[in-house]
């Protein structure tokens, strides 16, 4: 019985270890904006309260027409996200497996996060429940995607994204051992 319990702990630990940072091949933008779209995938999260138009940290724009699309290096099962956006605006994040058919993954309300309207600025949010930046409204069920995009949907006309980063796993990537492997683990082999 002790070996079975140990095997189950190992299986759970292996499954958790298979979550990885989702690798992005490229990011592109439509419309008029300031800064290189790659700034939102560079791994640098702007400090909370950073001005919305900081050219060091943020991708900024003035109307709701721009859309920024991330192309992953392969198909992933997305598990969590960390995102940094201007605090007093609404944003929508959508995903796709084919870059044609899009579904909403989550939306960010201007009231989400912990940076207040005054003085305002960039606000970091996470879907990881144990993270101090956790926001229930952006938590989502695992979903397959090869593309993700973000766009502004409401706000004051001064929009900004500082980072959009996902964790996930490759489908059929061995996160759950085959039954034969479980049997070997259970036997201690």
């Amino acid at each position: 019985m002790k070996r079975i319990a140990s095997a189950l702990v190992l299986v759970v630990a292996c499954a958790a270890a298979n979550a990885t940072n989702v690798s992005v091949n490229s990011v592109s933008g439509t419309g008029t904006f300031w800064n290189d779209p790659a700034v939102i995938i560079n791994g640098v999260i702007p400090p909370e309260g950073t001005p919305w138009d900081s050219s060091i940290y943020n991708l900024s724009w003035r109307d709701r027409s721009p859309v920024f699309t991330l192309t992953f290096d392969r198909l992933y099962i997305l598990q969590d996200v960390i995102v940094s956006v201007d605090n007093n605006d609404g944003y929508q994040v959508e995903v796709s497996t084919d870059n044609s058919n899009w579904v909403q993954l989550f939306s960010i309300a201007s009231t989400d996060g912990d940076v207040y309207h005054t003085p305002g600025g960039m606000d970091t949010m996470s879907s990881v429940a144990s993270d101090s930046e956790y926001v229930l409204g952006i938590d989502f069920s695992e979903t397959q995607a090869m593309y993700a995009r973000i766009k502004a949907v409401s706000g004051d006309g001064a929009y900004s994204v500082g980072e959009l980063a996902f964790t996930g796993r490759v489908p059929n990537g061995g996160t759950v051992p085959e039954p034969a492997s479980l049997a070997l683990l259970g036997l201690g082999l």
Side-chain angles (χ1 to χ4, degrees):
M1 189 68 161
K2 187 175 179 183
R3 286 184 180 178
I4 293 172
S6 297
L8 290 175
V9 168
L10 182 59
V11 168
V12 171
C14 288
N18 282 322
T20 186
N21 290 334
V22 170
S23 183
V24 178
N25 275 347
S26 65
V27 61
S28 60
T30 63
T32 302
F33 49 88
W34 303 286
N35 214 343
D36 181 347
V39 74
I40 70 172
I41 61 166
N42 67 4
V44 178
I45 299 170
E48 299 262 295
T50 297
W52 74 276
D53 58 351
S54 169
S55 63
I56 297 171
Y57 294 109
N58 310 342
L59 180 58
S60 307
W61 65 99
R62 281 285 190 182
D63 62 60
R64 292 188 202 144
S65 63
V67 177
F68 303 96
T69 303
L70 284 63
T71 301
F72 305 142
D73 68 339
R74 65 180 60 139
L75 184 69
Y76 284 93
I77 297 175
L78 302 180
Q79 295 172 307
D80 283 299
V81 68
I82 188 162
V83 61
S84 172
V85 294
D86 188 28
N87 74 313
N88 61 348
D89 304 307
Y91 300 86
Q92 185 170 307
V93 174
E94 300 170 325
V95 293
S96 173
T97 57
D98 62 7
N99 204 18
S100 294
N101 300 295
W102 295 89
V103 295
Q104 181 175 321
L105 186 61
F106 61 87
S107 61
I108 301 168
S110 62
T111 55
D112 287 342
D114 56 8
V115 172
Y116 298 103
H117 287 279
T118 303
M122 300 303 290
D123 198 353
T124 304
M125 298 170 217
S126 171
S127 67
V128 178
S130 61
D131 192 329
S132 64
E133 299 290 356
Y134 177 74
V135 172
L136 178 63
I138 71 167
D139 209 344
F140 57 90
S141 298
E142 288 187 354
T143 189
Q144 286 194 2
M146 188 157 172
Y147 305 89
R149 67 184 183 188
I150 188 167
K151 59 187 175 182
V153 294
S154 64
D156 62 1
Y159 308 104
S160 188
V161 176
E163 189 72 15
L164 180 59
F166 292 94
T167 59
R169 59 186 172 83
V170 177
N172 302 317
T175 59
V176 179
E178 295 294 321
S181 298
L182 283 175
L184 290 173
L185 285 171
L187 295 173
L189 300 174

